[in-house]
Amino acid sequence: MPHSELLRNYRAPLPFFFPSSRRDISKETQLQFRSGIRGSNSQQLGFGLLQAHGVISTQTPQETGGSSFTALLELPPPQAVELLVNEDFREKTLPLIYHCNTALINRASKFSVFDTAGSAPEGNYVVSGSCSMKPDVVKQEPPDFDSHLNSSTPAASNQSPKSLKRKEKVNELDIKSKKVAPNDISVGSGDKLPYIYVRARRGQATDSHSLAERARREKINARMKQLQELVPGCNKISGTAMVLDEIINHVQALQRQVEFLSMRLAAVNPRSDINHDAFLAEESEPAVDNNYQSMFTASMWPEGQISGSRQQYQQLWHFEGHQQPIWGRVEDKSKFITTENSLFKLRFFIKFRYYKLTMAQFVIFKRS
Amino acid sequence: MADTSNPVTNSDLPRKKRNKAGSGRISRESSRARWRTETEQRIYSSNLIDALRSLRHPDSSSVRDAADKVLAVSAKGRTRWSRAILTGRLSFRLSQINRRHKKAAKPVVASKKPAARNNLPPLQRKVKALSRLVPGCRKLSLPNLLEETTDYIAALEMQVKAMALITGLLNATS
């Protein structure tokens, strides 16, 4: 029975949370984490609901980004809960504490997606719906919303079929089609075990499988959109297959470019005598005068002036001693050069300062 | 009551957001912005030059390997492909040896016989092709794969830019 599994998971949330590598954690442990956090927070939820309105209104645009169901699913649970309860507060209905347990949604239990954004009368209706289903539960809730936080009962399994039927009836009456954040999560509070009741958009199935699939699809679409922004020329193409084609081509092209460049680098490469700083500094001024090609530190002429600080910098980089005489040569030339490109030099000098700073920081980081 | 509760909820939310952003949701912080900053490019270039300097035989494949490794290092190991690159090169020889042994022991089972090629929906085929391109992402679900791909593409672009700069510099001075 899936619900007993849910109960089991809900009872032991925290031990499964590994903060370091969340990516590798299976969905279940992630959800357990969420439920664990929620368990500790839901006490305060009841209190903070009125003021939470401000919080939510500023945060929902960022979080949901106008997208959907899954974006809301990924909201931190108290936020999603507050989103919901907010509606109720505006109606001055019973302050039902809605516990968001996303474990339930992803478990593909029987839920239907609920849309309460701006749907005040509906929110009322649903509240009353759930109220009528479990009147005793509702009455109990305001006095002790602590009790159902941590307890879980098998009674949840009884509630779900009834709630599903109730929600489907409500679904038929749902005539709203929302543009922004169409599928908010509404949490109906079970007696002990928290549930998420979600209501489907108009004309969409409320089947649990299709819900889970839809959530997955929306996640995928969100990521595809990001990729489309990244890959040039993908915005006009419609259709996942074509976009994927473009992405594959782009990745292949980039990899080919890297190969080609590495080939060129290898050809240019004999490197034992190359001054490290020269190249890093030259990045900011690639236009080096060809007359000084023989002296590979040609671009170093501004540094003649700051050779004092260069000493420290060289120590940082552990340069070999034989490079010191080169500095002398540079200083001779620098006077000659200065007359030609003073503007160049100044810009270069400034850039090099900045660069030296960043590089020094990085080196320290590397060495430590 | 409201005041005491608010700080709790408010402070919890950033903590959760931080957890989410910090421990693996790379797509949330824009990976493109991260790889496009100039500091990243400079860090990468300096590391690359360092690595190239210590190369014995400047072969194009070894240069390419070094470039990829440095790229993975500058990803700081937060993404799967970077970790795969860093660990992959280590165990490459090992896996080669293993494969040789296994080939000797087992007859080759042509699981992908051309005659019996099951034309998976072309979408699936493309997804597989993409997963083969991005290092370390062969057995990844689609949304995660797409996430890795965004970061990988951004990193590759930076790599190309940095390497082009470096080759230009080298050509100019030698």
Side-chain angles (χ1 to χ4, degrees), chain A residues 309-337:
Chain A
S309 50
R310 295 288 295 172
Q311 302 288 332
Q312 304 164 12
Y313 191 62
Q314 287 181 15
Q315 281 160 22
L316 266 180
W317 286 97
H318 302 301
F319 276 174
E320 303 89 78
H322 74 269
Q323 293 194 357
Q324 296 304 321
I326 295 170
W327 295 117
R329 267 192 283 155
V330 175
E331 297 202 18
D332 293 337
K333 304 277 183 175
S334 64
K335 296 169 207 153
F336 180 70
I337 296 168

PDB file of all heavy atoms in Angstrom, chain A residues 309-337:
ATOM      1  N   SER A 309      57.315  45.800  -7.397  1.00  0.00           N
ATOM      2  CA  SER A 309      56.225  44.912  -7.008  1.00  0.00           C
ATOM      3  C   SER A 309      56.278  43.613  -7.797  1.00  0.00           C
ATOM      4  O   SER A 309      55.806  42.582  -7.363  1.00  0.00           O
ATOM      5  CB  SER A 309      54.888  45.609  -7.208  1.00  0.00           C
ATOM      6  OG  SER A 309      54.848  46.164  -8.505  1.00  0.00           O
ATOM      7  N   ARG A 310      56.873  43.682  -8.961  1.00  0.00           N
ATOM      8  CA  ARG A 310      57.006  42.478  -9.768  1.00  0.00           C
ATOM      9  C   ARG A 310      57.813  41.425  -9.042  1.00  0.00           C
ATOM     10  O   ARG A 310      57.591  40.249  -9.202  1.00  0.00           O
ATOM     11  CB  ARG A 310      57.704  42.791 -11.088  1.00  0.00           C
ATOM     12  CG  ARG A 310      56.937  43.704 -11.976  1.00  0.00           C
ATOM     13  CD  ARG A 310      55.775  43.034 -12.545  1.00  0.00           C
ATOM     14  NE  ARG A 310      56.165  41.958 -13.428  1.00  0.00           N
ATOM     15  CZ  ARG A 310      55.324  41.105 -13.949  1.00  0.00           C
ATOM     16  NH1 ARG A 310      54.061  41.198 -13.655  1.00  0.00           N
ATOM     17  NH2 ARG A 310      55.723  40.159 -14.738  1.00  0.00           N
ATOM     18  N   GLN A 311      58.757  41.877  -8.239  1.00  0.00           N
ATOM     19  CA  GLN A 311      59.579  40.915  -7.530  1.00  0.00           C
ATOM     20  C   GLN A 311      58.688  40.030  -6.670  1.00  0.00           C
ATOM     21  O   GLN A 311      58.771  38.815  -6.685  1.00  0.00           O
ATOM     22  CB  GLN A 311      60.582  41.658  -6.647  1.00  0.00           C
ATOM     23  CG  GLN A 311      61.490  42.608  -7.411  1.00  0.00           C
ATOM     24  CD  GLN A 311      62.503  41.875  -8.246  1.00  0.00           C
ATOM     25  OE1 GLN A 311      62.888  40.767  -7.898  1.00  0.00           O
ATOM     26  NE2 GLN A 311      62.945  42.475  -9.335  1.00  0.00           N
ATOM     27  N   GLN A 312      57.816  40.680  -5.942  1.00  0.00           N
ATOM     28  CA  GLN A 312      56.939  39.890  -5.088  1.00  0.00           C
ATOM     29  C   GLN A 312      56.093  38.960  -5.920  1.00  0.00           C
ATOM     30  O   GLN A 312      55.894  37.801  -5.619  1.00  0.00           O
ATOM     31  CB  GLN A 312      56.014  40.797  -4.284  1.00  0.00           C
ATOM     32  CG  GLN A 312      56.737  41.814  -3.467  1.00  0.00           C
ATOM     33  CD  GLN A 312      55.756  42.903  -3.037  1.00  0.00           C
ATOM     34  OE1 GLN A 312      54.548  42.726  -3.177  1.00  0.00           O
ATOM     35  NE2 GLN A 312      56.264  44.003  -2.545  1.00  0.00           N
ATOM     36  N   TYR A 313      55.614  39.519  -6.989  1.00  0.00           N
ATOM     37  CA  TYR A 313      54.736  38.724  -7.838  1.00  0.00           C
ATOM     38  C   TYR A 313      55.456  37.519  -8.374  1.00  0.00           C
ATOM     39  O   TYR A 313      54.940  36.430  -8.432  1.00  0.00           O
ATOM     40  CB  TYR A 313      54.235  39.614  -8.961  1.00  0.00           C
ATOM     41  CG  TYR A 313      53.125  38.996  -9.742  1.00  0.00           C
ATOM     42  CD1 TYR A 313      51.920  38.681  -9.121  1.00  0.00           C
ATOM     43  CD2 TYR A 313      53.277  38.721 -11.082  1.00  0.00           C
ATOM     44  CE1 TYR A 313      50.906  38.120  -9.839  1.00  0.00           C
ATOM     45  CE2 TYR A 313      52.257  38.153 -11.797  1.00  0.00           C
ATOM     46  CZ  TYR A 313      51.082  37.866 -11.165  1.00  0.00           C
ATOM     47  OH  TYR A 313      50.079  37.303 -11.868  1.00  0.00           O
ATOM     48  N   GLN A 314      56.708  37.739  -8.747  1.00  0.00           N
ATOM     49  CA  GLN A 314      57.472  36.610  -9.262  1.00  0.00           C
ATOM     50  C   GLN A 314      57.661  35.554  -8.196  1.00  0.00           C
ATOM     51  O   GLN A 314      57.620  34.368  -8.470  1.00  0.00           O
ATOM     52  CB  GLN A 314      58.827  37.089  -9.756  1.00  0.00           C
ATOM     53  CG  GLN A 314      58.719  37.851 -11.050  1.00  0.00           C
ATOM     54  CD  GLN A 314      60.060  38.289 -11.520  1.00  0.00           C
ATOM     55  OE1 GLN A 314      61.087  37.784 -11.031  1.00  0.00           O
ATOM     56  NE2 GLN A 314      60.104  39.206 -12.451  1.00  0.00           N
ATOM     57  N   GLN A 315      57.878  36.012  -7.007  1.00  0.00           N
ATOM     58  CA  GLN A 315      58.043  35.013  -5.955  1.00  0.00           C
ATOM     59  C   GLN A 315      56.783  34.177  -5.813  1.00  0.00           C
ATOM     60  O   GLN A 315      56.838  32.982  -5.606  1.00  0.00           O
ATOM     61  CB  GLN A 315      58.359  35.686  -4.630  1.00  0.00           C
ATOM     62  CG  GLN A 315      59.812  36.106  -4.542  1.00  0.00           C
ATOM     63  CD  GLN A 315      59.998  37.171  -3.492  1.00  0.00           C
ATOM     64  OE1 GLN A 315      59.175  37.292  -2.592  1.00  0.00           O
ATOM     65  NE2 GLN A 315      61.075  37.935  -3.588  1.00  0.00           N
ATOM     66  N   LEU A 316      55.693  34.839  -5.944  1.00  0.00           N
ATOM     67  CA  LEU A 316      54.452  34.099  -5.858  1.00  0.00           C
ATOM     68  C   LEU A 316      54.416  32.984  -6.885  1.00  0.00           C
ATOM     69  O   LEU A 316      53.949  31.897  -6.640  1.00  0.00           O
ATOM     70  CB  LEU A 316      53.277  35.026  -6.108  1.00  0.00           C
ATOM     71  CG  LEU A 316      52.610  35.643  -4.880  1.00  0.00           C
ATOM     72  CD1 LEU A 316      51.492  36.516  -5.321  1.00  0.00           C
ATOM     73  CD2 LEU A 316      52.104  34.553  -3.973  1.00  0.00           C
ATOM     74  N   TRP A 317      54.887  33.309  -8.051  1.00  0.00           N
ATOM     75  CA  TRP A 317      54.816  32.342  -9.137  1.00  0.00           C
ATOM     76  C   TRP A 317      56.029  31.441  -9.191  1.00  0.00           C
ATOM     77  O   TRP A 317      56.116  30.603 -10.083  1.00  0.00           O
ATOM     78  CB  TRP A 317      54.677  33.066 -10.473  1.00  0.00           C
ATOM     79  CG  TRP A 317      53.323  33.628 -10.646  1.00  0.00           C
ATOM     80  CD1 TRP A 317      52.932  34.895 -10.406  1.00  0.00           C
ATOM     81  CD2 TRP A 317      52.184  32.931 -11.095  1.00  0.00           C
ATOM     82  NE1 TRP A 317      51.613  35.047 -10.681  1.00  0.00           N
ATOM     83  CE2 TRP A 317      51.119  33.854 -11.115  1.00  0.00           C
ATOM     84  CE3 TRP A 317      51.931  31.615 -11.489  1.00  0.00           C
ATOM     85  CZ2 TRP A 317      49.850  33.518 -11.501  1.00  0.00           C
ATOM     86  CZ3 TRP A 317      50.648  31.283 -11.875  1.00  0.00           C
ATOM     87  CH2 TRP A 317      49.635  32.219 -11.873  1.00  0.00           C
ATOM     88  N   HIS A 318      56.974  31.619  -8.319  1.00  0.00           N
ATOM     89  CA  HIS A 318      58.174  30.779  -8.300  1.00  0.00           C
ATOM     90  C   HIS A 318      58.902  30.798  -9.624  1.00  0.00           C
ATOM     91  O   HIS A 318      59.135  29.761 -10.234  1.00  0.00           O
ATOM     92  CB  HIS A 318      57.817  29.332  -7.937  1.00  0.00           C
ATOM     93  CG  HIS A 318      57.126  29.238  -6.619  1.00  0.00           C
ATOM     94  ND1 HIS A 318      57.675  29.676  -5.445  1.00  0.00           N
ATOM     95  CD2 HIS A 318      55.898  28.771  -6.295  1.00  0.00           C
ATOM     96  CE1 HIS A 318      56.827  29.474  -4.457  1.00  0.00           C
ATOM     97  NE2 HIS A 318      55.740  28.925  -4.937  1.00  0.00           N
ATOM     98  N   PHE A 319      59.200  31.973 -10.073  1.00  0.00           N
ATOM     99  CA  PHE A 319      59.924  32.064 -11.336  1.00  0.00           C
ATOM    100  C   PHE A 319      61.374  31.681 -11.173  1.00  0.00           C
ATOM    101  O   PHE A 319      61.947  31.793 -10.100  1.00  0.00           O
ATOM    102  CB  PHE A 319      59.872  33.512 -11.841  1.00  0.00           C
ATOM    103  CG  PHE A 319      58.625  33.784 -12.584  1.00  0.00           C
ATOM    104  CD1 PHE A 319      58.321  35.056 -13.007  1.00  0.00           C
ATOM    105  CD2 PHE A 319      57.734  32.766 -12.856  1.00  0.00           C
ATOM    106  CE1 PHE A 319      57.164  35.313 -13.684  1.00  0.00           C
ATOM    107  CE2 PHE A 319      56.557  33.022 -13.536  1.00  0.00           C
ATOM    108  CZ  PHE A 319      56.292  34.300 -13.941  1.00  0.00           C
ATOM    109  N   GLU A 320      61.958  31.256 -12.270  1.00  0.00           N
ATOM    110  CA  GLU A 320      63.382  30.924 -12.221  1.00  0.00           C
ATOM    111  C   GLU A 320      64.210  32.193 -12.191  1.00  0.00           C
ATOM    112  O   GLU A 320      63.778  33.227 -12.665  1.00  0.00           O
ATOM    113  CB  GLU A 320      63.790  30.086 -13.433  1.00  0.00           C
ATOM    114  CG  GLU A 320      63.015  28.812 -13.602  1.00  0.00           C
ATOM    115  CD  GLU A 320      61.776  29.044 -14.442  1.00  0.00           C
ATOM    116  OE1 GLU A 320      61.904  29.131 -15.663  1.00  0.00           O
ATOM    117  OE2 GLU A 320      60.692  29.196 -13.874  1.00  0.00           O
ATOM    118  N   GLY A 321      65.439  32.061 -11.696  1.00  0.00           N
ATOM    119  CA  GLY A 321      66.275  33.241 -11.538  1.00  0.00           C
ATOM    120  C   GLY A 321      66.720  33.852 -12.844  1.00  0.00           C
ATOM    121  O   GLY A 321      66.983  35.034 -12.936  1.00  0.00           O
ATOM    122  N   HIS A 322      66.798  33.075 -13.875  1.00  0.00           N
ATOM    123  CA  HIS A 322      67.399  33.593 -15.098  1.00  0.00           C
ATOM    124  C   HIS A 322      66.543  34.647 -15.754  1.00  0.00           C
ATOM    125  O   HIS A 322      66.932  35.274 -16.700  1.00  0.00           O
ATOM    126  CB  HIS A 322      67.709  32.467 -16.088  1.00  0.00           C
ATOM    127  CG  HIS A 322      66.467  31.938 -16.750  1.00  0.00           C
ATOM    128  ND1 HIS A 322      65.756  30.890 -16.232  1.00  0.00           N
ATOM    129  CD2 HIS A 322      65.816  32.331 -17.865  1.00  0.00           C
ATOM    130  CE1 HIS A 322      64.719  30.638 -17.011  1.00  0.00           C
ATOM    131  NE2 HIS A 322      64.725  31.493 -18.002  1.00  0.00           N
ATOM    132  N   GLN A 323      65.368  34.823 -15.241  1.00  0.00           N
ATOM    133  CA  GLN A 323      64.512  35.818 -15.862  1.00  0.00           C
ATOM    134  C   GLN A 323      64.840  37.222 -15.402  1.00  0.00           C
ATOM    135  O   GLN A 323      64.383  38.187 -15.984  1.00  0.00           O
ATOM    136  CB  GLN A 323      63.060  35.502 -15.542  1.00  0.00           C
ATOM    137  CG  GLN A 323      62.643  34.208 -16.206  1.00  0.00           C
ATOM    138  CD  GLN A 323      61.147  34.044 -16.180  1.00  0.00           C
ATOM    139  OE1 GLN A 323      60.464  34.892 -15.614  1.00  0.00           O
ATOM    140  NE2 GLN A 323      60.641  32.993 -16.761  1.00  0.00           N
ATOM    141  N   GLN A 324      65.645  37.359 -14.379  1.00  0.00           N
ATOM    142  CA  GLN A 324      65.926  38.698 -13.870  1.00  0.00           C
ATOM    143  C   GLN A 324      66.617  39.592 -14.892  1.00  0.00           C
ATOM    144  O   GLN A 324      66.222  40.730 -15.079  1.00  0.00           O
ATOM    145  CB  GLN A 324      66.770  38.597 -12.596  1.00  0.00           C
ATOM    146  CG  GLN A 324      66.048  37.891 -11.456  1.00  0.00           C
ATOM    147  CD  GLN A 324      64.738  38.540 -11.109  1.00  0.00           C
ATOM    148  OE1 GLN A 324      64.632  39.762 -11.117  1.00  0.00           O
ATOM    149  NE2 GLN A 324      63.726  37.738 -10.837  1.00  0.00           N
ATOM    150  N   PRO A 325      67.648  39.089 -15.561  1.00  0.00           N
ATOM    151  CA  PRO A 325      68.303  39.978 -16.528  1.00  0.00           C
ATOM    152  C   PRO A 325      67.340  40.489 -17.590  1.00  0.00           C
ATOM    153  O   PRO A 325      67.517  41.561 -18.131  1.00  0.00           O
ATOM    154  CB  PRO A 325      69.397  39.102 -17.165  1.00  0.00           C
ATOM    155  CG  PRO A 325      69.363  37.817 -16.470  1.00  0.00           C
ATOM    156  CD  PRO A 325      68.373  37.855 -15.380  1.00  0.00           C
ATOM    157  N   ILE A 326      66.300  39.760 -17.856  1.00  0.00           N
ATOM    158  CA  ILE A 326      65.369  40.186 -18.886  1.00  0.00           C
ATOM    159  C   ILE A 326      64.685  41.476 -18.486  1.00  0.00           C
ATOM    160  O   ILE A 326      64.390  42.332 -19.301  1.00  0.00           O
ATOM    161  CB  ILE A 326      64.334  39.082 -19.141  1.00  0.00           C
ATOM    162  CG1 ILE A 326      65.049  37.867 -19.720  1.00  0.00           C
ATOM    163  CG2 ILE A 326      63.257  39.561 -20.085  1.00  0.00           C
ATOM    164  CD1 ILE A 326      64.214  36.649 -19.790  1.00  0.00           C
ATOM    165  N   TRP A 327      64.477  41.599 -17.203  1.00  0.00           N
ATOM    166  CA  TRP A 327      63.839  42.827 -16.764  1.00  0.00           C
ATOM    167  C   TRP A 327      64.698  44.028 -17.102  1.00  0.00           C
ATOM    168  O   TRP A 327      64.218  45.078 -17.498  1.00  0.00           O
ATOM    169  CB  TRP A 327      63.602  42.771 -15.253  1.00  0.00           C
ATOM    170  CG  TRP A 327      62.634  41.704 -14.906  1.00  0.00           C
ATOM    171  CD1 TRP A 327      62.886  40.624 -14.145  1.00  0.00           C
ATOM    172  CD2 TRP A 327      61.284  41.595 -15.341  1.00  0.00           C
ATOM    173  NE1 TRP A 327      61.774  39.854 -14.054  1.00  0.00           N
ATOM    174  CE2 TRP A 327      60.784  40.421 -14.793  1.00  0.00           C
ATOM    175  CE3 TRP A 327      60.467  42.378 -16.160  1.00  0.00           C
ATOM    176  CZ2 TRP A 327      59.479  40.003 -14.996  1.00  0.00           C
ATOM    177  CZ3 TRP A 327      59.165  41.969 -16.366  1.00  0.00           C
ATOM    178  CH2 TRP A 327      58.697  40.784 -15.784  1.00  0.00           C
ATOM    179  N   GLY A 328      66.016  43.792 -16.956  1.00  0.00           N
ATOM    180  CA  GLY A 328      66.905  44.893 -17.283  1.00  0.00           C
ATOM    181  C   GLY A 328      66.744  45.324 -18.728  1.00  0.00           C
ATOM    182  O   GLY A 328      66.628  46.495 -19.052  1.00  0.00           O
ATOM    183  N   ARG A 329      66.666  44.337 -19.586  1.00  0.00           N
ATOM    184  CA  ARG A 329      66.529  44.653 -21.006  1.00  0.00           C
ATOM    185  C   ARG A 329      65.243  45.411 -21.262  1.00  0.00           C
ATOM    186  O   ARG A 329      65.166  46.318 -22.063  1.00  0.00           O
ATOM    187  CB  ARG A 329      66.534  43.361 -21.830  1.00  0.00           C
ATOM    188  CG  ARG A 329      67.911  42.989 -22.332  1.00  0.00           C
ATOM    189  CD  ARG A 329      67.796  41.906 -23.367  1.00  0.00           C
ATOM    190  NE  ARG A 329      67.559  40.621 -22.741  1.00  0.00           N
ATOM    191  CZ  ARG A 329      66.950  39.619 -23.365  1.00  0.00           C
ATOM    192  NH1 ARG A 329      66.503  39.781 -24.583  1.00  0.00           N
ATOM    193  NH2 ARG A 329      66.763  38.478 -22.743  1.00  0.00           N
ATOM    194  N   VAL A 330      64.257  44.994 -20.560  1.00  0.00           N
ATOM    195  CA  VAL A 330      62.960  45.640 -20.771  1.00  0.00           C
ATOM    196  C   VAL A 330      63.044  47.110 -20.434  1.00  0.00           C
ATOM    197  O   VAL A 330      62.518  47.956 -21.128  1.00  0.00           O
ATOM    198  CB  VAL A 330      61.885  44.965 -19.913  1.00  0.00           C
ATOM    199  CG1 VAL A 330      60.584  45.713 -20.029  1.00  0.00           C
ATOM    200  CG2 VAL A 330      61.698  43.538 -20.358  1.00  0.00           C
ATOM    201  N   GLU A 331      63.753  47.399 -19.379  1.00  0.00           N
ATOM    202  CA  GLU A 331      63.759  48.789 -18.954  1.00  0.00           C
ATOM    203  C   GLU A 331      64.444  49.672 -19.978  1.00  0.00           C
ATOM    204  O   GLU A 331      64.083  50.828 -20.138  1.00  0.00           O
ATOM    205  CB  GLU A 331      64.445  48.898 -17.594  1.00  0.00           C
ATOM    206  CG  GLU A 331      63.683  48.140 -16.531  1.00  0.00           C
ATOM    207  CD  GLU A 331      63.994  48.618 -15.137  1.00  0.00           C
ATOM    208  OE1 GLU A 331      64.528  49.734 -15.025  1.00  0.00           O
ATOM    209  OE2 GLU A 331      63.707  47.906 -14.195  1.00  0.00           O
ATOM    210  N   ASP A 332      65.436  49.137 -20.658  1.00  0.00           N
ATOM    211  CA  ASP A 332      66.071  49.948 -21.682  1.00  0.00           C
ATOM    212  C   ASP A 332      65.092  50.322 -22.769  1.00  0.00           C
ATOM    213  O   ASP A 332      65.016  51.447 -23.214  1.00  0.00           O
ATOM    214  CB  ASP A 332      67.240  49.168 -22.318  1.00  0.00           C
ATOM    215  CG  ASP A 332      68.350  48.960 -21.335  1.00  0.00           C
ATOM    216  OD1 ASP A 332      68.430  49.747 -20.375  1.00  0.00           O
ATOM    217  OD2 ASP A 332      69.119  48.011 -21.521  1.00  0.00           O
ATOM    218  N   LYS A 333      64.325  49.320 -23.138  1.00  0.00           N
ATOM    219  CA  LYS A 333      63.439  49.559 -24.269  1.00  0.00           C
ATOM    220  C   LYS A 333      62.253  50.422 -23.881  1.00  0.00           C
ATOM    221  O   LYS A 333      61.634  51.057 -24.711  1.00  0.00           O
ATOM    222  CB  LYS A 333      62.905  48.217 -24.800  1.00  0.00           C
ATOM    223  CG  LYS A 333      63.960  47.241 -25.189  1.00  0.00           C
ATOM    224  CD  LYS A 333      64.461  47.531 -26.591  1.00  0.00           C
ATOM    225  CE  LYS A 333      65.472  46.485 -27.004  1.00  0.00           C
ATOM    226  NZ  LYS A 333      65.907  46.637 -28.375  1.00  0.00           N
ATOM    227  N   SER A 334      61.938  50.363 -22.597  1.00  0.00           N
ATOM    228  CA  SER A 334      60.664  50.963 -22.215  1.00  0.00           C
ATOM    229  C   SER A 334      60.659  52.454 -22.520  1.00  0.00           C
ATOM    230  O   SER A 334      59.650  53.014 -22.916  1.00  0.00           O
ATOM    231  CB  SER A 334      60.389  50.717 -20.736  1.00  0.00           C
ATOM    232  OG  SER A 334      61.376  51.374 -19.964  1.00  0.00           O
ATOM    233  N   LYS A 335      61.813  53.086 -22.369  1.00  0.00           N
ATOM    234  CA  LYS A 335      61.803  54.521 -22.637  1.00  0.00           C
ATOM    235  C   LYS A 335      61.463  54.789 -24.090  1.00  0.00           C
ATOM    236  O   LYS A 335      60.724  55.702 -24.420  1.00  0.00           O
ATOM    237  CB  LYS A 335      63.178  55.109 -22.320  1.00  0.00           C
ATOM    238  CG  LYS A 335      63.527  55.001 -20.852  1.00  0.00           C
ATOM    239  CD  LYS A 335      64.980  55.333 -20.615  1.00  0.00           C
ATOM    240  CE  LYS A 335      65.468  54.610 -19.372  1.00  0.00           C
ATOM    241  NZ  LYS A 335      66.887  54.350 -19.420  1.00  0.00           N
ATOM    242  N   PHE A 336      62.019  53.954 -24.927  1.00  0.00           N
ATOM    243  CA  PHE A 336      61.770  54.133 -26.348  1.00  0.00           C
ATOM    244  C   PHE A 336      60.296  53.940 -26.680  1.00  0.00           C
ATOM    245  O   PHE A 336      59.706  54.641 -27.467  1.00  0.00           O
ATOM    246  CB  PHE A 336      62.632  53.132 -27.113  1.00  0.00           C
ATOM    247  CG  PHE A 336      62.442  53.225 -28.587  1.00  0.00           C
ATOM    248  CD1 PHE A 336      62.908  54.325 -29.295  1.00  0.00           C
ATOM    249  CD2 PHE A 336      61.789  52.216 -29.267  1.00  0.00           C
ATOM    250  CE1 PHE A 336      62.741  54.399 -30.665  1.00  0.00           C
ATOM    251  CE2 PHE A 336      61.630  52.297 -30.637  1.00  0.00           C
ATOM    252  CZ  PHE A 336      62.099  53.386 -31.334  1.00  0.00           C
ATOM    253  N   ILE A 337      59.742  52.976 -26.017  1.00  0.00           N
ATOM    254  CA  ILE A 337      58.370  52.617 -26.346  1.00  0.00           C
ATOM    255  C   ILE A 337      57.389  53.671 -25.848  1.00  0.00           C
ATOM    256  O   ILE A 337      56.380  53.943 -26.459  1.00  0.00           O
ATOM    257  CB  ILE A 337      58.032  51.261 -25.733  1.00  0.00           C
ATOM    258  CG1 ILE A 337      58.916  50.191 -26.352  1.00  0.00           C
ATOM    259  CG2 ILE A 337      56.583  50.935 -25.943  1.00  0.00           C
ATOM    260  CD1 ILE A 337      58.869  48.899 -25.636  1.00  0.00           C
TER     261      ILE A 337
END
